[in-house]
């Protein structure tokens, strides 16, 4: 495809630029729907007389289904393409949002919030879309704009929905806010399907050779892939434990045991699928030219666990944190919490741009040093701090973590094109593992310890980046259906 040397974000005569804007706005809408409840939680808590524990359960449930959904959606987008997948997710997400607004009991709220986690998988679709439309030298910036501007959907929800909630409907104002987000998602789902194409004209959409699991290139990679699936199931098991009689008592002991059994069985089925797809490489080695290193995928998984997991946890907890610690009113708390997500507009694209210009590995090293240091500072927070001091410290941590997310996804599309959706899905799922993990820690410890946990995890992942991550170079190889070999530049 023909791509201009200069990246002009406002040159709408270029189809790749138009596609970028259509893509990031789809992500924006999906995140607005996914996070609609967070800034409205003080309203929901008051209107339905929820306990603090019940409110925290809703925040946690919101990220649970996204873990397996991102894996599944990654496989489906590699198979069927971004156009149909994102359109379907937006429409279904809008319906789920409206049903959440209609809930009359806590059980209904919890169930619909759990289902809403599916909407968070939409992010994966756009990663594959942008990878198809931009070359390696621009993919970091393009992915950063897609991710950063799309992530702003959580800020859009924080800024818009509390205003609707206080203006319309009285005690039910939060319902009008959630319905508004759902209707926008449904309408834009149809617009997206009408305007977006999977690839530029004349380009090939590479698909996996096999379905059911990611293809790997060596026996070691096969073993590592099996191990790398464990944290995702472990995170879901932790969620189940939190909701069981040993924790929040939302689930009965029998139901919790059933969920544990289903998770174990699902993992074993997944291991069988991985083996079925990849066992042949133990007898017939993959040609060197067609190999990729799954170690790189594993490190990017851990990196995104920290960067996006931090964002999920902090965005979810900030509104109530400001209300409870500083006694702010609910609208002000929602707006201040939304400012954390606004950083995405610049920080994530800059993380991608710096990766394009100076290198993927060095950028990740710098941002992870910044995450570790900034959240160590936040770990000193107390009621003696002013609100502005807390906002400043959170902003610093947000800049590094969001730039880190941009740097991760500047590298994800450069590993293996036909598997981009699956790689993006797995890394994205790890982001939610991080969110579940950090929110679980938050429910068990003080806020300063929560921030220090993030800092310590970042330091550990930094060590893996320093020791094992490799800078992308040369080309990756894809084979056309007729056997023709195509080389795709990754630098």
């Amino acid at each position: 495809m023909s791509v201009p040397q200069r990246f002009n974000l406002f040159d709408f005569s270029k189809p790749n630029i138009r596609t970028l804007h259509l893509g990031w706005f789809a992500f924006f809408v999906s995140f607005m729907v996914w996070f609609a409840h967070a800034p409205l939680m003080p309203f929901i808590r008051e209107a339905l007389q929820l306990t603090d524990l019940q409110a925290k359960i809703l925040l946690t449930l919101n990220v649970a289904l996204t873990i397996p959904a991102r894996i599944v959606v990654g496989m489906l987008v590699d198979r069927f393409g971004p156009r149909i997948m994102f359109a379907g997710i937006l429409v279904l997400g809008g319906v789920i949002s409206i049903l959440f607004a209609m809930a009359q009991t806590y059980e209904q709220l919890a169930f619909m919030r759990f289902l809403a986690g599916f909407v968070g998988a939409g992010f994966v679709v756009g990663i594959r879309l942008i990878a198809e439309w931009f070359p390696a030298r621009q993919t970091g910036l393009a992915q950063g704009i897609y991710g950063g501007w799309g992530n702003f959907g959580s800020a859009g929800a924080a800024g818009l929905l509390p205003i609707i909630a206080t203006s319309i409907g009285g005690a039910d104002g939060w319902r009008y806010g959630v319905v508004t987000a759902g209707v926008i998602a449904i309408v834009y789902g149809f617009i997206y399907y009408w305007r977006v194409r999977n690839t530029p004209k004349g380009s090939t959409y590479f698909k996996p050779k096999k379905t059911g699991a990611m293809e790997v290139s060596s026996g070691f990679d096969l073993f590592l892939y099996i191990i790398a699936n464990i944290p995702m199931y472990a995170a879901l098991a932790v969620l189940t434990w939190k909701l069981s009689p040993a924790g929040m008592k939302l689930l009965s002991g029998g139901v919790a045991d059933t969920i544990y059994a289903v998770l174990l069985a699902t993992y074993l089925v997944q291991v069988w699928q991985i083996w079925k797809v990849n066992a042949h490489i133990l007898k017939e080695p993959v040609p060197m030219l067609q190999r990729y290193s799954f170690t790189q995928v594993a490190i990017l998984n851990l990196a995104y666990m920290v960067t996006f997991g931090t964002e999920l946890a902090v965005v979810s907890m900030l509104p109530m944190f400001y209300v409870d610690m500083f006694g702010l009113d609910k609208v002000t708390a929602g707006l201040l919490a939304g400012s954390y997500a606004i950083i995405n507009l610049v920080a994530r694209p800059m993380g991608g741009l710096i990766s394009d210009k100076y290198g993927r590995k060095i950028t990740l090293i710098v941002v992870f040093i910044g995450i570790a240091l900034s959240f160590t500072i936040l770990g000193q927070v107390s009621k003696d701090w002013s609100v502005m001091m807390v906002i400043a410290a959170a902003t610093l941590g947000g800049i590094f973590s969001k730039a880190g997310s941009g740097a991760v996804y500047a590298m994800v599309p450069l590993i293996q094109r036909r598997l981009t959706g699956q790689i993006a899905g797995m890394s994205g799922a790890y982001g939610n593992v991080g969110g579940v993990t950090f929110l679980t820690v938050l429910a068990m410890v003080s806020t300063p310890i929560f921030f220090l946990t993030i800092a310590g995890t970042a330091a550990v992942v930094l060590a893996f980046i320093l020791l094992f991550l490799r800078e992308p170079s040369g080309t990756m190889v894809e084979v056309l259906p007729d056997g023709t070999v195509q080389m795709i530049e990754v630098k």
Side-chain angles (χ1 to χ4, degrees):
M1 68 179 168
S2 175
V3 179
Q5 293 296 317
R6 292 184 66 255
F7 190 106
N8 186 346
L9 185 58
F10 302 104
D11 186 357
F12 292 96
S13 66
K14 304 299 182 183
N16 62 335
I17 297 298
R18 293 198 301 270
T19 299
L20 173 58
H21 285 287
L22 289 165
W24 76 254
F25 193 69
F27 183 21
F28 177 98
V29 173
S30 70
F31 255 44
M32 185 170 68
V33 169
W34 190 22
F35 282 106
H37 72 301
L40 295 175
M41 190 57 68
F43 297 91
I44 298 171
R45 182 173 61 177
E46 181 178 318
L48 300 183
Q49 298 183 329
L50 304 182
T51 66
D52 289 343
L53 183 60
Q54 287 175 320
K56 287 182 177 180
I57 289 174
L58 290 180
L59 292 175
T60 305
L61 285 174
N62 192 55
V63 299
L65 186 61
T66 315
I67 295 173
R70 286 188 167 181
I71 298 296
V72 174
V73 168
M75 293 181 183
L76 293 176
V77 72
D78 283 342
R79 189 70 180 172
F80 298 108
R83 181 190 183 200
I84 185 66
M85 286 303 302
F86 222 150
I89 287 170
L90 286 169
V91 172
L92 181 57
V95 172
I96 292 172
S97 186
I98 292 171
L99 291 175
F100 176 78
M102 297 170 62
Q104 298 299 317
T105 67
Y106 179 73
E107 288 72 22
Q108 292 171 352
L109 280 176
F111 180 66
M112 297 315 302
R113 206 65 251 159
F114 172 74
L115 292 183
F118 172 79
V119 185
F123 162 71
V124 175
V125 179
I127 296 297
R128 180 70 196 254
L129 176 71
I130 303 305
E132 294 293 333
W133 283 88
F134 289 87
R137 67 180 180 274
Q138 295 177 341
T139 194
L141 177 57
Q143 296 285 2
I145 291 170
Y146 164 75
W149 292 18
N151 262 301
F152 189 63
S154 60
L160 173 64
L161 302 187
I163 295 175
I164 295 175
T166 56
S167 303
I168 306 173
D172 287 330
W174 68 270
R175 299 183 189 273
Y176 289 91
V178 174
V179 167
T180 298
V183 170
I184 291 172
I186 293 171
V187 172
Y188 192 70
F190 287 102
I191 294 173
Y192 180 91
Y193 184 80
W194 172 47
R195 297 294 297 170
V196 169
R197 296 295 177 266
N198 290 333
T199 65
K201 186 176 181 180
S203 295
T204 301
Y205 190 81
F206 294 103
K207 299 181 180 181
K209 298 174 184 177
K210 299 181 180 180
T211 58
M214 194 185 306
E215 301 162 30
V216 295
S217 304
S218 70
F220 175 77
D221 285 354
L222 176 58
F223 172 75
L224 184 58
Y225 181 24
I226 291 172
I227 297 301
N229 274 271
I230 293 176
M232 294 179 286
Y233 291 93
L236 293 172
V238 168
L239 272 178
T240 303
W241 173 80
K242 286 181 63 179
L243 302 177
S244 73
M248 300 176 177
K249 299 180 174 60
L250 180 66
L251 302 176
S252 67
V255 171
D257 290 341
T258 300
I259 294 175
Y260 292 139
V262 169
L263 289 175
L264 177 60
T266 304
Y267 173 70
L268 294 176
V269 170
Q270 179 63 16
V271 170
W272 170 246
Q273 284 293 115
I274 293 170
W275 177 260
K276 188 168 66 172
V277 168
N278 293 292
H280 68 93
I281 65 176
L282 300 178
K283 296 181 179 179
E284 304 171 11
V286 177
M288 289 299 298
L289 197 62
Q290 299 179 31
R291 292 187 182 187
Y292 76 96
S293 172
F294 187 82
T295 300
Q296 308 306 293
V297 178
I299 296 172
L300 293 175
N301 291 346
L302 294 174
Y304 203 63
M305 180 186 74
V306 172
T307 60
F308 187 66
T310 295
E311 179 175 351
L312 276 179
V314 174
V315 166
S316 296
M317 57 81 70
L318 274 183
M320 286 199 293
F321 171 69
Y322 287 140
V323 169
D324 296 339
M325 178 162 277
F326 298 105
L328 301 181
D329 65 86
K330 293 185 287 288
V331 173
T332 300
L335 290 173
L336 288 176
S339 69
Y340 182 82
I342 292 175
I343 305 166
N344 264 313
L345 288 174
V346 176
R348 190 156 179 161
M350 286 303 297
L353 177 61
I354 294 170
S355 295
D356 287 343
K357 189 168 183 178
Y358 297 106
R360 323 288 170 177
K361 180 172 181 176
I362 188 62
T363 303
L364 281 169
I365 290 171
V366 171
V367 297
F368 266 79
I369 291 173
I371 294 170
L373 293 177
S374 58
F375 278 91
T376 298
I377 294 172
L378 272 172
Q380 315 308 312
V381 70
S382 70
K383 289 188 176 182
D384 295 332
W385 287 38
S386 69
V387 176
M388 292 308 299
M389 287 175 63
V390 176
I391 293 173
T395 299
L396 182 64
I399 289 171
F400 284 113
S401 62
K402 295 169 196 303
S405 291
V408 169
Y409 276 93
M411 189 169 171
V412 162
L414 305 181
I415 295 176
Q416 197 69 48
R417 177 59 58 82
R418 72 180 182 278
L419 305 177
T420 296
Q422 293 176 74
I423 296 171
M426 193 170 195
S427 294
Y430 262 75
N432 285 83
V433 169
V436 170
T437 301
F438 295 141
L439 284 170
T440 299
V441 170
L442 176 64
M444 300 169 64
V445 302
S446 65
T447 300
I449 298 300
F450 161 74
F451 289 134
L452 289 174
T453 300
I454 293 174
T457 308
V460 172
V461 175
L462 172 62
F464 282 105
I465 293 170
L466 287 167
L467 293 173
F468 302 113
L469 190 66
R470 297 201 305 264
E471 181 71 19
S473 61
T475 59
M476 57 182 164
V477 176
E478 292 291 356
V479 180
L480 296 170
D482 63 1
T484 303
V485 175
Q486 183 167 328
M487 314 293 284
I488 303 172
E489 292 186 7
V490 298
K491 188 173 179 61

